Amino acid sequence: MEIQSAESIKLLLNFRDINDSGRWMVVNDGVMGGVSRSTVNLHNDGYLIFAGNVSTDYGGGFASIRTGFDGNQLKETSTFLLKVKGDGNIYKFRLTMKGSYANYSADFKTLKDQWMDIEIPIENFKPYYFGRSIRAPKLKVHKVNSMGVLISDKQEGDFLLEIEYIKAF
């Protein structure tokens, strides 16, 4: 990890303060007939908890959370930094842009029961539409209007992801 000056790192979402944690909502595969379930909660110790169960029954297979976001805070951002504790699953950090039908996702792998700093460079985000890779305009971070996390790709069963913060530099 390259050393960054404290001034260049922006704290985007801080789960120690409810006023700085975003307004998160759950979007699961029930929107297409699936039966996966998930919850999103703030823990008193200052982290977000995304937990549930992914099922591929009835054509499903994903669970996600998202929050609105003002991309103007991201001008000159080249990398996102997430502090997470996971369960060994692979998750997707997702962004959407105003005026685009695509969502932009980058995978990150967790280690079971270990806090980790995950760096995701902007160039790692690829455009998708309903889970399929597509051609779309390049991601422009200053136009981001939501961010979220998704678990999918046939990773069936219970899952648990804790997020301490989301930063950018």
Side-chain angles (χ1 to χ4, degrees):
M1 182 163 133
E2 183 181 326
I3 303 297
Q4 298 292 320
S5 73
E7 293 85 37
S8 70
I9 299 175
K10 300 175 206 137
L11 180 62
L12 303 177
L13 295 169
N14 171 15
F15 303 110
R16 295 193 181 281
D17 182 344
I18 196 164
N19 296 318
D20 293 332
S21 62
R23 296 178 58 122
W24 291 85
M25 64 188 268
V26 170
V27 180
N28 295 330
D29 57 19
V31 299
M32 52 183 269
V35 294
S36 298
R37 56 182 170 70
S38 68
T39 60
V40 61
N41 295 292
L42 286 179
H43 191 279
N44 290 340
D45 288 342
Y47 51 88
L48 186 86
I49 302 170
F50 174 41
N53 181 278
V54 174
S55 171
T56 56
D57 291 347
Y58 306 105
F62 76 88
S64 72
I65 55 174
R66 67 178 73 152
T67 186
F69 191 79
D70 178 4
N72 287 319
Q73 299 175 60
L74 299 175
K75 288 183 179 158
E76 298 183 33
T77 291
S78 65
T79 304
F80 287 92
L81 177 63
L82 289 71
K83 184 165 187 177
V84 303
K85 181 165 75 169
D87 51 14
N89 282 314
I90 297 170
Y91 292 86
K92 296 178 184 305
F93 184 55
R94 300 177 70 194
L95 305 171
T96 58
M97 277 190 325
K98 287 180 257 185
S100 177
Y101 52 88
N103 65 70
Y104 296 78
S105 298
D107 290 356
F108 63 94
K109 173 131 179 66
T110 63
L111 297 175
K112 187 169 178 58
D113 300 325
Q114 290 185 29
W115 283 104
M116 314 169 55
D117 286 323
I118 305 289
E119 279 191 32
I120 306 174
I122 295 300
E123 56 269 8
N124 287 15
F125 288 86
K126 305 295 182 221
Y128 292 87
Y129 185 69
F130 287 100
R132 292 194 172 103
S133 180
I134 61 166
R135 289 181 189 235
K138 185 177 175 181
L139 174 64
K140 296 179 178 87
V141 291
H142 69 281
K143 289 187 172 186
V144 166
N145 64 359
S146 78
M147 62 177 58
V149 177
L150 173 115
I151 182 168
S152 61
D153 297 331
K154 300 184 184 352
Q155 296 180 98
E156 291 187 85
D158 293 338
F159 67 89
L160 173 65
L161 180 70
E162 299 169 355
I163 306 171
E164 186 174 315
Y165 56 70
I166 300 172
K167 296 181 178 182
F169 58 90

Coordinates of all heavy atoms in Angstrom, one line a residue, residues 84-91 108-118 160-162:
V84 N -12.8 -3.6 6.1 CA -13.8 -4.7 6.2 C -13.4 -5.9 7.0 O -12.2 -6.1 7.1 CB -14.3 -5.1 4.8 CG1 -14.8 -4.0 4.0 CG2 -13.2 -5.9 4.1
K85 N -14.3 -6.5 7.6 CA -14.1 -7.9 8.2 C -15.1 -8.8 7.6 O -16.3 -8.5 7.7 CB -14.2 -7.9 9.7 CG -14.0 -9.3 10.3 CD -13.7 -9.2 11.8 CE -15.0 -9.0 12.6 NZ -14.8 -9.3 14.0
G86 N -14.7 -9.8 6.9 CA -15.6 -10.7 6.2 C -15.6 -12.1 6.7 O -15.2 -12.5 7.8
D87 N -16.1 -13.0 5.7 CA -16.3 -14.4 6.0 C -15.6 -15.3 5.0 O -15.9 -16.5 4.9 CB -17.8 -14.6 6.0 CG -18.5 -14.1 4.7 OD1 -17.7 -13.7 3.7 OD2 -19.7 -13.9 4.7
G88 N -14.7 -14.7 4.2 CA -14.0 -15.5 3.2 C -14.7 -15.4 1.8 O -14.1 -15.9 0.9
N89 N -15.9 -14.8 1.7 CA -16.5 -14.6 0.4 C -16.0 -13.5 -0.4 O -15.2 -12.6 0.1 CB -18.0 -14.4 0.7 CG -18.8 -15.6 1.0 OD1 -18.6 -16.7 0.4 ND2 -19.7 -15.6 2.0
I90 N -16.3 -13.5 -1.6 CA -16.0 -12.4 -2.5 C -17.2 -11.5 -2.7 O -18.3 -11.9 -2.9 CB -15.6 -12.9 -3.9 CG1 -14.3 -13.8 -3.8 CG2 -15.4 -11.7 -4.9 CD1 -14.0 -14.5 -5.1
Y91 N -17.0 -10.2 -2.5 CA -18.0 -9.2 -2.6 C -17.7 -8.2 -3.7 O -16.6 -8.2 -4.2 CB -18.1 -8.4 -1.3 CG -18.6 -9.2 -0.1 CD1 -17.8 -10.0 0.6 CD2 -20.0 -9.3 0.2 CE1 -18.2 -10.8 1.7 CE2 -20.5 -10.1 1.2 CZ -19.6 -10.9 2.0 OH -20.0 -11.6 3.0
F108 N -13.9 -7.7 -4.4 CA -12.8 -7.8 -3.3 C -13.1 -9.0 -2.5 O -14.2 -9.4 -2.3 CB -12.8 -6.5 -2.4 CG -14.0 -6.2 -1.6 CD1 -14.1 -6.7 -0.3 CD2 -15.0 -5.5 -2.2 CE1 -15.3 -6.4 0.4 CE2 -16.2 -5.2 -1.4 CZ -16.3 -5.7 -0.1
K109 N -12.0 -9.7 -2.2 CA -12.1 -11.0 -1.4 C -11.8 -10.7 0.1 O -10.9 -9.9 0.4 CB -11.0 -12.0 -1.9 CG -10.9 -13.2 -1.1 CD -11.0 -14.5 -1.9 CE -10.8 -15.7 -1.1 NZ -11.9 -16.1 -0.3
T110 N -12.6 -11.3 0.9 CA -12.4 -11.1 2.4 C -11.7 -12.4 2.9 O -11.7 -13.4 2.3 CB -13.7 -10.9 3.1 OG1 -14.6 -12.1 2.9 CG2 -14.5 -9.7 2.5
L111 N -11.1 -12.2 4.1 CA -10.6 -13.3 4.9 C -11.5 -13.5 6.1 O -12.0 -12.5 6.7 CB -9.2 -13.0 5.3 CG -8.1 -12.8 4.2 CD1 -6.8 -12.4 4.8 CD2 -8.0 -14.1 3.4
K112 N -11.8 -14.7 6.4 CA -12.7 -15.0 7.5 C -12.2 -14.4 8.8 O -11.1 -14.7 9.3 CB -12.9 -16.5 7.6 CG -14.0 -16.9 8.6 CD -14.3 -18.4 8.5 CE -15.3 -18.8 9.5 NZ -16.6 -18.2 9.5
D113 N -13.1 -13.6 9.4 CA -12.9 -13.0 10.7 C -11.7 -12.2 10.9 O -11.2 -12.0 12.0 CB -12.9 -14.1 11.8 CG -14.3 -14.9 11.8 OD1 -15.3 -14.3 11.6 OD2 -14.2 -16.1 12.1
Q114 N -11.2 -11.6 9.8 CA -10.0 -10.7 9.9 C -10.4 -9.3 9.3 O -10.9 -9.2 8.2 CB -8.9 -11.3 9.1 CG -8.3 -12.5 9.7 CD -7.0 -12.9 8.9 OE1 -6.3 -12.1 8.3 NE2 -6.8 -14.2 8.9
W115 N -10.0 -8.2 10.1 CA -10.2 -6.9 9.5 C -9.1 -6.7 8.5 O -7.9 -7.1 8.6 CB -10.0 -5.8 10.6 CG -11.2 -5.7 11.5 CD1 -11.4 -6.2 12.7 CD2 -12.5 -5.1 11.1 NE1 -12.7 -5.9 13.2 CE2 -13.3 -5.2 12.2 CE3 -12.9 -4.4 10.0 CZ2 -14.6 -4.7 12.2 CZ3 -14.2 -3.9 10.0 CH2 -15.0 -4.0 11.1
M116 N -9.5 -6.1 7.3 CA -8.6 -5.9 6.2 C -8.8 -4.5 5.6 O -9.9 -4.0 5.6 CB -8.8 -6.9 5.1 CG -9.0 -8.3 5.5 SD -9.6 -9.3 4.1 CE -8.4 -9.0 2.8
D117 N -7.7 -3.9 5.1 CA -7.9 -2.7 4.3 C -7.9 -3.1 2.8 O -7.0 -3.8 2.4 CB -6.7 -1.7 4.5 CG -6.8 -1.0 5.9 OD1 -7.9 -0.7 6.3 OD2 -5.7 -0.8 6.5
I118 N -8.9 -2.8 2.1 CA -9.1 -3.1 0.7 C -8.9 -1.9 -0.1 O -9.7 -0.9 0.0 CB -10.5 -3.7 0.5 CG1 -10.8 -4.9 1.4 CG2 -10.7 -4.1 -1.0 CD1 -10.0 -6.2 1.1
L160 N -21.7 -12.7 6.1 CA -21.5 -11.6 7.0 C -20.3 -10.7 6.6 O -19.2 -11.2 6.5 CB -21.3 -12.2 8.5 CG -21.0 -11.1 9.5 CD1 -22.2 -10.2 9.8 CD2 -20.6 -11.9 10.8
L161 N -20.6 -9.5 6.4 CA -19.6 -8.5 6.1 C -19.8 -7.3 7.0 O -20.9 -6.7 7.1 CB -19.7 -8.0 4.6 CG -18.6 -7.0 4.2 CD1 -17.2 -7.7 4.1 CD2 -19.0 -6.4 2.8
E162 N -18.7 -6.9 7.7 CA -18.7 -5.7 8.5 C -17.8 -4.7 7.8 O -16.7 -5.0 7.3 CB -18.1 -6.1 9.9 CG -19.0 -7.1 10.6 CD -18.4 -7.7 11.9 OE1 -17.2 -7.3 12.2 OE2 -19.1 -8.5 12.5

